[in-house]
Amino acid sequence: TFDGGETAACVLTGSPITDGTSPGRGGGLPGNGSHAPIRNCIITGNKAQMHGGGVYYFYGPISQCTIFDNEAAGGGGLSTCEGDLTDCVIRDNVAHRHGGGIENHQNGIISRCVIVGNSTGETGTGAGVYNAGHLESCIIAGNRAGVGGGVFRSGDINNCTIVGNVETPPEGVYGGGLFWCETAITSSIIYGNWPNQFGKCSEPTYS
């Protein structure tokens, strides 16, 4: 557990974070607003009753981590982490409500990440990413939610591949790939999502 006072000089690297539980937030790594960087960690098998099954409330950057098989009500993999998220694999996490993979990552850039196989409950939203800032050069594929199978609400999306994401009944009419993404969508592949590619989004700019 971090106390929130850590600076960028305090680095967590190469550590397995497994089988943690929390009755509230941060089953694996509760950050308490820490600015410590997290690098090259495996974060798996953690559970939180509320938010952030794997990681919760970090301001420091997170890079080269594998975050999988975590569970929470919101943000199965990560929740409320505001630093840049780079070169990570975020897969097979579960949220009962919002953000199977990532929830509430509004200020940092999510770049070069693979976000696959995450899910929410049948009326949940944003199985891959829920409420994020800029998405850059990511693969978002095979995620499943009630609304916004791949991404529900984000900032600019550039050079991303968003394929094979699914909205599940009884919702299933809003945006299998993207929903409520009203900023720029450029140089991206959006294909093979069900039942449609996007809803309530800006028209993509193709290049």
Side-chain angles (χ1 to χ4, degrees):
T1 301
F2 290 78
D3 66 17
E6 298 83 6
T7 68
C10 176
V11 180
L12 176 65
T13 183
S15 297
I17 310 296
T18 62
D19 301 320
T21 60
S22 171
R25 300 169 176 87
L29 276 177
N32 293 310
S34 174
H35 286 79
I38 303 171
R39 299 175 186 160
N40 196 30
C41 291
I42 294 173
I43 301 169
T44 184
N46 304 287
K47 294 184 179 181
Q49 292 295 315
M50 297 175 69
H51 298 275
V55 185
Y56 177 77
Y57 192 27
F58 272 85
Y59 285 107
I62 300 172
S63 62
Q64 298 177 307
C65 291
T66 302
I67 301 168
F68 68 101
D69 289 341
N70 302 286
E71 183 178 348
L78 306 93
S79 177
T80 319
C81 294
E82 299 291 354
D84 290 347
L85 184 64
T86 309
D87 295 323
C88 291
V89 175
I90 300 160
R91 65 171 178 84
D92 301 318
N93 301 286
V94 176
H96 301 288
R97 296 198 298 262
H98 312 303
I102 301 169
E103 175 193 47
N104 294 340
H105 193 283
Q106 295 170 281
N107 294 319
I109 297 172
I110 302 173
S111 63
R112 301 193 304 273
C113 289
V114 177
I115 303 166
V116 298
N118 303 285
S119 61
T120 72
E122 67 176 18
T123 60
T125 55
V129 180
Y130 173 86
N131 197 26
H134 186 89
L135 292 165
E136 178 76 32
S137 301
C138 292
I139 296 171
I140 301 169
N143 303 287
R144 179 180 291 262
V147 180
V151 180
F152 183 105
R153 196 161 51 206
S154 76
D156 293 349
I157 297 172
N158 182 61
N159 195 35
C160 290
T161 299
I162 301 168
V163 298
N165 301 286
V166 174
E167 277 188 340
T168 55
E171 303 296 338
V173 294
Y174 296 97
L178 303 165
F179 182 73
W180 204 354
C181 300
E182 297 180 323
T183 54
I185 303 171
T186 56
S187 302
S188 295
I189 297 169
I190 305 169
Y191 178 77
N193 302 287
W194 191 90
N196 50 12
Q197 305 310 318
F198 49 83
K200 200 177 180 181
C201 292
S202 300
E203 184 67 23
T205 300
Y206 300 98
S207 62

